[in-house]
Amino acid sequence: MSMGTDSDDFSFTRQVGALDVADAINQGCDCRSLDPERLRQQLEAEPSLLGLAAEIGHNQPHLFSATAVFIAPETLQAMAHIVTAVESVVALPAYQAMALDRAPPIACVDHGPKSVFMGFDFHLGEAGPQLIEINTNAGGAMLNSALARAQKACCEQIRPFLRPTAELETLDQHWLDDFLAEWSLQGRSGRPTSVAIVDEDPSAQYLYPEFLLFRHLFHSAGIDAVICAPAELSFDSGRLMHAGVSIDLVYNRLTDFYLQALELAPLRAAYEAGSIVLTPHPRAHALYADKRNLVILSDAAQLAEFGVLQPVIDRLVTGIPCTVEVTPERAGALWAARRSLFFKPFAGFGSRATYRGDKLTQRVWQEILAGGYVAQSLAVPSVRRVAADGQSSDLKLDVRAYAYAGSIRLVAARLYKGQTTNFRTPGGGFAPVFVTSANDLAEILEHRQEEARRIDRLANEDRSQ
C-alpha cells in the first residue's frame, strides 16, 4: 500500500478520521492486485475455454484493470436502498402506465419474468452514490466475477480491505438461479433444456468472451446452450428453432430493445407467442432503461402524485441527478445551464451519442434539440489512482450494480479517461470492487504500532547487550 513514509501514513489517518477510508485509498494508493495467472485459471475453467485469456489480452487489451476499487459499506448500502426504491416505484400501476404509454406495443407483453442482469450505474461523490442510468442487458457480470476471484493482496496492509461485494464462490450458482427463476416466473416447470445466447454477429462483439463463459455456465448445469445471431433462428410450428433444435430460453444481448429489425421477426414472434422465455425483454427496457424514466424517478412532485411514500421520494431525489426531457420550450434555459448538464438519448446504450454540456458544439446542440434526449444534472465521477506504463494517473470511475428482482448480485467498476466510459484507457477497464471501513484502518494502525513497539524492544535489547 504505497502511501509514503510512516509519518505520511499517520498524517493520512488523521485526514481520514470519520471520512470515507475507501476514497482515501482510491486516491492515495496505486497498488495492483490482479494476479494474471489466477485470472487465466478463472477464465479457462474447461478445455473449450483454453486460450481465452490470451485472446482477451490480444483483442481487448484494456478490458481489465489491474487495480481494484474500494467503497465504504455505507456506500454499498445506499446503492442497495436506491435500487429498492426504484423497484418500488416501477411496481406502481400509475408509473407503468406512463412508461408503457410511450413505448411500442411489444413492451406491454408481460409473461412474468423480471429480466436478468439489470445494471444500475452510479457515480460516487460527496453527496453519496448518484444513479446516472439503468440498463437492462448490462454486460460484464461473468467477466467481473472472474476478475474479482483473481485478486491477491499486493501487501499486508491492503489484505484486510479485500472484501468482495458478493460471496464469490456461490456467485455462478446465483447467476444460474436467476435464469431458472425467469423460467419459473413464466409458468414453466423443471428447467430449460436448451438456451440460445443471442446477439448480432456474436463473435465480433467486444464482450464475446463473456458469451463463452455463459455457455460454460449452462453446460455445467446440464443445459444445452448455443451462441448465435438472430438470422440463425426460425419460428416453425410454434417453436423457436436453431439448427433443428427447439430453443426454450433466450438470453438476449441485443441492443434492438424492442425487437424491431426484420431479421428479428422469428425471435419476436416466439416471444409474443410465449413459446420462449426471453430475458431481458422489451417490457423491462420500457420500465427501466428508457432515459425518460429518470425524469419521473427524480421528480418529487410526480412521485408524490403516484402516492410514493416520502422517505422513498427523498431517497430517489437525493440519489438520482435531476433529469428533464429536452424540448424546444426548455432550449434557452438548458443551453444557458449546459456546463452543469449531461445530455443522453432516450434509448441510448454504451455511452453512444452522449455529451457533456461543456463540450457541446452548435451542430450537436441542434441535433439534440431535434428530439430524443434528456438533460441530466452533471454528477462528477470520482477517481482512482492507477499505475500504468510506469506512471501514476487519476482515472475516472463509475460503479455498476448487477441486480435481479431488486437484489444486488455483484458490484464492479469501470475505470476510464474521457467524457464517457470506454475500454481504451491504459490501466483502465473493468475493476473489482471491495468493501472497506474505518475499522479496517484502525486494525492496521494497531498492528503497525504493535510491530513498531516490537522493533523498538528488540533494538533496546541489542543496545543493552
Side-chain angles (χ1 to χ4, degrees):
M1 191 174 184
S2 57
M3 289 176 161
T5 66
D6 287 351
S7 61
D8 289 336
D9 286 348
F10 283 96
S11 173
F12 160 76
T13 308
R14 289 193 297 273
Q15 291 171 15
V16 173
L19 298 176
D20 187 355
V21 176
D23 281 347
I25 299 174
N26 287 336
Q27 296 174 30
C29 171
D30 59 8
C31 291
R32 299 155 68 93
S33 58
L34 176 62
D35 183 337
E37 176 57 24
R38 191 179 298 177
L39 179 60
R40 184 193 66 78
Q41 293 171 1
Q42 292 295 326
L43 293 172
E44 299 177 0
E46 66 165 15
S48 68
L49 296 173
L50 291 179
L52 182 57
E55 179 183 334
I56 290 174
H58 178 72
N59 296 320
Q60 295 103 338
H62 305 306
L63 180 61
F64 296 124
S65 175
T67 305
V69 168
F70 297 85
I71 63 173
E74 296 83 0
T75 300
L76 180 60
Q77 185 179 48
M79 291 166 58
H81 286 330
I82 293 171
V83 170
T84 300
V86 169
E87 291 287 347
S88 69
V89 174
V90 170
L92 297 175
Y95 171 91
Q96 293 188 8
M98 182 174 289
L100 295 175
D101 183 61
R102 59 191 177 216
I106 194 171
C108 295
V109 175
D110 184 8
H111 294 305
K114 302 288 189 182
S115 276
V116 295
F117 298 107
M118 297 293 302
F120 293 80
D121 291 347
F122 293 87
H123 281 174
L124 308 182
E126 294 181 0
Q130 298 289 295
L131 178 64
I132 58 170
E133 64 182 56
I134 307 172
N135 297 286
T136 50
N137 61 354
M142 286 287 283
L143 293 167
N144 278 301
S145 61
L147 182 62
R149 289 191 290 262
Q151 305 296 310
K152 67 177 181 180
C154 56
C155 60
E156 284 302 315
Q157 287 175 285
I158 206 69
R159 189 179 302 279
F161 293 84
L162 297 181
R163 294 193 185 96
T165 58
E167 292 292 336
L168 299 178
E169 298 309 311
T170 59
L171 190 54
D172 283 356
Q173 186 61 50
H174 278 305
W175 301 138
L176 181 64
D177 288 345
D178 291 345
F179 283 102
L180 298 181
E182 297 286 87
W183 180 255
S184 297
L185 285 170
Q186 195 157 325
R188 306 289 205 268
S189 58
R191 57 170 52 194
T193 59
S194 58
V195 171
I197 302 162
V198 179
D199 202 351
E200 292 287 348
D201 194 7
S203 63
Q205 297 298 327
Y206 190 79
L207 294 184
Y208 176 68
E210 182 172 56
F211 298 173
L212 299 174
L213 294 176
F214 274 110
R215 185 176 65 182
H216 169 60
L217 176 70
F218 291 120
H219 284 171
S220 299
I223 300 172
D224 186 35
V226 297
I227 302 168
C228 67
E232 300 174 50
L233 300 170
S234 62
F235 186 56
D236 300 316
S237 302
R239 300 296 298 171
L240 187 68
M241 307 295 293
H242 176 269
V245 176
S246 177
I247 299 297
D248 296 325
L249 183 148
V250 171
Y251 176 29
N252 175 22
R253 295 293 293 254
L254 295 161
T255 54
D256 184 342
F257 302 111
Y258 296 120
L259 310 180
Q260 295 174 314
L262 182 61
E263 59 268 25
L264 301 184
L267 180 60
R268 179 186 179 112
Y271 171 63
E272 291 180 323
S275 66
I276 57 163
V277 173
L278 179 72
T279 184
H281 49 68
R283 182 180 180 86
H285 184 271
L287 293 177
Y288 291 91
D290 187 309
K291 302 299 187 295
R292 288 170 292 187
N293 295 333
L294 296 171
V295 175
I296 304 173
L297 293 170
S298 63
D299 184 340
Q302 181 66 78
L303 293 171
E305 188 176 322
F306 287 160
V308 179
L309 298 177
Q310 191 61 47
V312 177
I313 295 176
D314 293 342
R315 185 164 288 158
L316 290 172
V317 298
T318 58
I320 301 177
C322 180
T323 308
V324 299
E325 187 171 346
V326 176
T327 62
E329 294 76 19
R330 295 192 178 105
L334 292 175
W335 177 256
R338 67 188 182 282
R339 295 184 183 278
S340 63
L341 299 173
F342 207 97
F343 296 87
K344 302 179 179 183
F346 296 162
F349 63 94
S351 300
R352 288 173 171 82
T354 62
Y355 304 98
R356 275 183 57 131
D358 58 355
K359 306 292 185 182
L360 281 183
T361 64
Q362 273 293 337
R363 180 188 62 80
V364 171
W365 178 237
Q366 294 307 313
E367 293 176 0
I368 291 172
L369 285 180
Y373 271 79
V374 298
Q376 185 179 74
S377 294
L378 186 63
V380 178
S382 54
V383 299
R384 179 67 172 102
R385 192 135 188 95
V386 169
D389 299 328
Q391 294 185 333
S392 292
S393 61
D394 290 336
L395 301 187
K396 299 174 185 177
L397 72 88
D398 73 356
V399 173
R400 169 169 288 179
Y402 296 96
Y404 177 70
S407 177
I408 293 178
R409 292 287 186 252
L410 179 70
V411 176
R414 292 174 293 182
L415 305 180
Y416 63 98
K417 280 186 177 179
Q419 284 196 58
T420 57
T421 54
N422 59 73
F423 292 99
R424 299 185 300 274
T425 304
F430 284 131
V433 171
F434 295 110
V435 183
T436 187
S437 73
N439 291 334
D440 294 329
L441 190 62
E443 292 173 9
I444 288 175
L445 289 172
E446 183 178 351
H447 171 76
R448 292 186 62 190
Q449 290 165 354
E450 177 58 35
E451 182 66 11
R453 287 192 290 267
R454 186 184 71 82
I455 293 172
D456 286 343
R457 285 195 302 269
L458 291 174
N460 290 332
E461 289 172 5
D462 287 341
R463 282 193 293 269
S464 65
Q465 295 174 2

